[in-house]
Amino acid sequence: MSLDDAAEELASDLGADKQEVKEKLETLQSYSVPIEEAKQSIRREYGDSGGGGGTDSPPETDVADVEPDMGNVTVTARVLTVGKRSIRYEGEDQTIFEGEVADGTGTISYTAWTDFSLSPGDTITAGNAGVREWEGEPELNLGESTTVTLHDEPLEVPQEVGGERDLIELRPGDRGRTVEVQVLEVESKTIDGRDGETDILSGVVGDETARLPFTDWDPHEAIAAGESVRIGDVYVREFRGVPSVNVTEFSTVEPVGEVDVSDAATRMTVGEAVAAGGVFDVEVVGNVLEVRDGSGLIQRCPDCGRVVQNDQCRSHGEVDPEDDLRVKAILDDGTDTVTAILGRELTEAIYGGTLEDALEDARDAMDRDVVADAIAEDLVGGEFRVRGSLSVDEYGANLDCEAFEESADDPEARAREFLADAEVDA
């Protein structure tokens, strides 16, 4: 049934304006509320509890068999995690509960639009649960038409109950996670939030496994530079291609004993980092195959910092550009390739001169490309150890570099290690 048809049918039943009903349906669907649940919500808003909501539950389904097009299902599962978050619907704040449940066949995420008082470890049967697609996977939606029955006998599942995770284990879409971290960097910002100007904290946290960016949407005093804290009920979303820890008003923040943070970045092959979809602080080793166009002397918009061509910025039109230096190098380690992007400071170190020196050399040669040519001569064919933040999008993989230096690795030893890993995988 199309949205228009659903709105027309619902408006007719309720004696309401079709356009008004359609707008309410569109708003609910923008939050991925299943259509039947959305219709029931609107019926309740208009004081009509009818419309076939019913109390009969559909047949019980294994978690692994749940598909987005099933409409409604009944599942018996163990609650693994419970997170709490606030969203904005029709100008009003609404609290939702979210996490994962599992049975012997698999794991599935859920969103509860009603407080069912779920706790990690509970075994429940959720009857008449809606199903939607969320980030390409099916997700259970537990609403007012859902019945939740708590069982005394726990369902044994192979998955870990609870949200305790190391930073390296976090993935975008995780909800209800708990981490113990040291706050490495933090700054206060004022942003234009949903309620106007909003104060937040942002920065970097770390543990023995990784470092990740974070945002605290309801600033907690315990989150301060150098402090070690246990943060409960965080959710993870993708920010600039990497997982980002999000702390909310419902998160708990408690001081803990000092959390150790490794000075080393996570060492991975390029293929592993690309397959992960992005890594905030990673180290890879590979050979430079090419220095790409857009390297050497470039010009940026003074307002937004974007690279401009012929004094034209895509956002601000004709501008008086500012000169800058950068390198975009194709790095290959045999498992995959990534574009390593070096800012001015690293580029100056490779070039052996400052931005002013590069501009003078370009004037002498009457050719700005001489700077990129000199950089390519030094880099192409060499092996380098690179550290930075790797992100993956529709245009490929990019590594924003913090460190870029010639590799001192023994290629023979690394080849033996590679072959040993290949034999284990085989």
Side-chain angles (χ1 to χ4, degrees):
M1 178 182 290
S2 70
L3 190 66
D4 272 330
D5 290 341
E8 184 171 355
E9 177 186 291
L10 194 53
S12 177
D13 288 347
L14 299 173
D17 178 72
K18 176 186 172 181
Q19 186 59 33
E20 180 179 286
V21 170
K22 182 180 178 182
E23 289 174 359
K24 291 180 182 294
L25 281 173
E26 288 174 336
T27 301
L28 284 165
Q29 289 216 297
S30 72
Y31 289 103
S32 299
V33 178
I35 186 66
E36 290 303 320
E37 182 65 33
K39 288 163 67 176
Q40 288 301 311
S41 176
I42 294 170
R43 287 183 183 278
R44 289 190 293 271
E45 184 178 338
Y46 281 87
D48 183 343
S49 59
T55 58
D56 293 336
S57 293
E60 189 152 324
T61 305
D62 289 338
V63 164
D65 294 331
V66 175
E67 297 291 343
D69 60 358
M70 284 183 165
N72 292 74
V73 296
T74 294
V75 297
T76 295
R78 189 89 177 266
V79 178
L80 303 181
T81 58
V82 180
K84 189 176 181 182
R85 191 156 56 96
S86 174
I87 64 171
R88 180 63 57 85
Y89 167 60
E90 289 195 341
E92 298 291 334
D93 290 335
Q94 179 171 345
T95 300
I96 60 173
F97 302 83
E98 51 190 4
E100 297 91 33
V101 298
D103 63 9
T105 69
T107 304
I108 190 170
S109 63
Y110 71 87
T111 295
W113 301 85
T114 298
D115 185 0
F116 292 102
S117 300
L118 300 178
S119 297
D122 286 348
T123 296
I124 63 168
T125 294
N128 204 35
V131 185
R132 67 166 179 172
E133 183 175 310
W134 187 77
E135 294 198 349
E137 299 292 335
E139 179 181 84
L140 298 177
N141 267 254
L142 314 181
E144 291 189 16
S145 61
T146 305
T147 60
V148 173
T149 304
L150 183 65
H151 299 278
D152 293 331
E153 189 69 23
L155 180 67
E156 295 298 326
V157 296
Q159 294 84 356
E160 180 181 356
V161 175
E164 301 270 355
R165 296 291 187 276
D166 291 329
L167 291 182
I168 195 67
E169 300 174 292
L170 297 182
R171 296 291 181 268
D174 286 349
R175 285 83 61 87
R177 298 297 189 228
T178 296
V179 295
E180 288 193 359
V181 296
Q182 184 181 140
V183 182
L184 304 177
E185 302 172 20
V186 62
E187 64 174 320
S188 178
K189 295 181 179 178
T190 300
I191 64 169
D192 185 14
R194 67 189 188 188
D195 294 314
E197 288 194 349
T198 303
D199 292 329
I200 65 170
L201 299 178
S202 66
V204 178
V205 293
D207 63 12
E208 286 188 311
T209 68
R211 302 176 186 217
L212 286 180
F214 80 91
T215 299
D216 184 355
W217 300 96
D218 186 52
H220 293 75
E221 290 185 6
I223 296 181
E227 296 297 320
S228 293
V229 290
R230 176 185 175 86
I231 312 177
D233 194 2
V234 303
Y235 70 94
V236 184
R237 69 179 182 182
E238 185 177 291
F239 177 68
R240 293 180 180 172
V242 301
S244 175
V245 177
N246 284 258
V247 186
T248 75
E249 61 188 298
F250 300 112
S251 302
T252 59
V253 182
E254 302 172 347
V256 294
E258 184 173 352
V259 174
D260 292 330
V261 179
S262 173
D263 289 334
T266 303
R267 178 73 180 270
M268 303 175 98
T269 67
V270 174
E272 289 170 337
V274 172
V279 185
F280 178 68
D281 186 23
V282 66
E283 182 181 270
V284 299
V285 176
N287 292 89
V288 173
L289 302 183
E290 175 189 357
V291 172
R292 292 181 55 186
D293 291 343
S295 297
L297 280 169
I298 60 172
Q299 292 186 313
R300 297 187 183 275
C301 172
D303 297 317
C304 65
R306 287 191 176 94
V307 175
V308 302
Q309 299 289 340
N310 300 319
D311 298 346
Q312 292 292 320
C313 172
R314 288 178 296 173
S315 297
H316 298 96
E318 186 171 353
V319 296
D320 183 14
E322 298 176 343
D323 290 305
D324 198 5
L325 280 171
R326 77 168 178 191
V327 173
K328 297 174 69 176
I330 304 297
L331 196 73
D332 188 320
D333 71 346
T335 66
D336 209 332
T337 61
V338 63
T339 300
I341 302 174
L342 287 65
R344 182 192 298 185
E345 186 175 339
L346 290 175
T347 302
E348 287 179 334
I350 292 169
Y351 186 62
T354 64
L355 171 62
E356 289 70 26
D357 294 330
L359 288 168
E360 185 175 346
D361 292 342
R363 283 192 294 268
D364 290 344
M366 293 185 292
D367 182 2
R368 292 173 68 91
D369 289 341
V370 297
V371 177
D373 293 342
I375 291 171
E377 187 175 339
D378 287 339
L379 296 187
V380 174
E383 184 180 72
F384 297 88
R385 179 182 299 275
V386 187
R387 179 174 182 173
S389 180
L390 187 145
S391 61
V392 182
D393 58 25
E394 64 269 28
Y395 301 108
N398 293 301
L399 180 59
D400 289 323
C401 301
E402 296 179 2
F404 188 93
E405 58 187 19
E406 288 189 82
S407 171
D409 287 2
D410 177 359
E412 183 178 345
R414 193 166 64 254
R416 286 196 298 268
E417 181 182 346
F418 179 80
L419 290 173
D421 289 343
E423 289 174 2
V424 171
D425 292 339

